[in-house]
Amino acid sequence: DAKTTQPPSMDCAEGRAANLPCNHSTISGNEYVYWYRQIHSQGPQYIIHGLKNNETNEMASLIITEDRKSSTLILPHATLRDTAVYYCIVRSHSGNTPLVFGKGTRLSVIA
Amino acid sequence: GAVVSQHPSWVICKSGTSVKIECRSLDFQATTMFWYRQFPKQSLMLMATSNEGSKATYEQGVEKDKFLINHASLTLSTLTVTSAHPEDSSFYICSARSQVDNSPLHFGNGTRLTVT
């Protein structure tokens, strides 16, 4: 899997949008961008994934640049429960390949 | 949505004993499941790939005789930590993916193992 680069930590005020960046400059054409988060002492939770178009679901929005070398996960109205480590992972969609986790971004939502 | 269940959520055992952790896909079939380990303040590390009906594939540095994996059905994989030692204390997490197209990997809620 291609390597991703994320800032180690970020703070966000409660109620504001949290924008988490991710660089994946070596992504290949068949690799998707996946975002997961891990709240303390729980298993990772799937958030969203995309190939090249922007995606939105009930949890978040994913903005992928036109060259696909970077992306941003947007939590539109962060709450205290969104405090977690957020992982950006690129992975081929074919077959049964595992997810390879980097260090992620520790997001702290502050009241 | 797809749900992966792990049991137990936590276990304390004495050094030298064996512990079995179960991973079930509750509403889908999974020919492949993955086992991860996470030490405090570290990221998840892939241990092995569990394949239904065949031998597991282990990552470099993971002892296959110590971490026994059995994937006897399309909804159940088990990880047995044999002759556990304090250094095996960790957070063990499994994941699985529905065979439905475009389905992401889903994770269990993990098992906290403490070896005393």
Side-chain angles (χ1 to χ4, degrees):
Chain A
D1 287 354
K3 186 175 178 178
T4 63
T5 305
Q6 298 177 253
S9 64
M10 290 182 64
D11 291 341
C12 177
E14 189 179 20
R16 305 297 293 267
N19 298 293
L20 292 93
C22 179
N23 287 324
H24 31 80
S25 58
T26 60
I27 192 170
S28 60
N30 68 341
E31 287 181 319
Y32 283 67
V33 180
Y34 287 82
W35 283 84
Y36 284 77
R37 72 180 182 184
Q38 187 179 24
I39 296 169
H40 183 63
S41 293
Q42 297 183 22
Q45 177 189 23
Y46 166 77
I47 300 173
I48 199 167
H49 73 282
L51 182 63
K52 55 182 178 180
N53 296 323
N54 297 337
E55 302 287 345
T56 294
N57 62 19
E58 65 277 4
M59 289 182 69
S61 294
L62 173 60
I63 309 298
I64 303 174
T65 58
E66 193 169 342
D67 64 8
R68 302 212 319 126
K69 292 185 178 183
S70 65
S71 61
T72 301
L73 179 75
I74 301 173
L75 307 179
H77 305 286
T79 70
L80 298 178
R81 286 176 294 181
D82 292 322
T83 293
V85 178
Y86 287 77
Y87 296 98
C88 167
I89 304 166
V90 294
R91 171 183 176 266
S92 169
H93 205 63
S94 60
N96 281 309
T97 52
L99 291 170
V100 178
F101 287 79
K103 295 183 178 179
T105 295
R106 181 172 296 280
L107 175 68
S108 299
V109 181
I110 303 165
Chain B
V3 177
V4 175
S5 173
Q6 261 184 263
H7 179 81
S9 55
W10 61 270
V11 58
I12 301 173
C13 72
K14 292 188 175 180
S15 188
T17 61
S18 296
V19 172
K20 180 186 284 189
I21 302 169
E22 292 186 349
C23 179
R24 294 180 185 273
S25 55
L26 293 187
D27 53 358
F28 64 97
Q29 294 184 331
T31 55
T32 303
M33 294 183 177
F34 303 100
W35 286 96
Y36 292 82
R37 176 168 57 180
Q38 185 176 33
F39 292 107
K41 299 191 177 181
Q42 294 186 22
S43 189
L44 284 79
M45 294 296 295
L46 179 68
M47 296 177 68
T49 300
S50 169
N51 303 298
E52 188 266 334
S54 65
K55 290 183 179 180
T57 306
Y58 290 82
E59 296 299 300
Q60 192 172 9
V62 178
E63 299 174 55
K64 62 181 169 83
D65 294 330
K66 181 168 184 61
F67 299 99
L68 300 179
I69 291 173
N70 184 279
H71 194 153
S73 80
L74 287 171
T75 59
L76 174 64
S77 175
T78 60
L79 169 68
T80 301
V81 183
T82 63
S83 186
H85 291 285
E87 57 265 31
D88 299 322
S89 298
S90 189
F91 192 50
Y92 292 86
I93 310 166
C94 71
S95 73
R97 174 175 175 259
S98 168
Q99 299 307 301
V100 172
D101 241 15
N102 213 27
S103 174
L105 276 169
H106 290 276
F107 289 79
N109 248 348
T111 298
R112 173 83 51 199
L113 171 64
T114 302
V115 184
T116 61

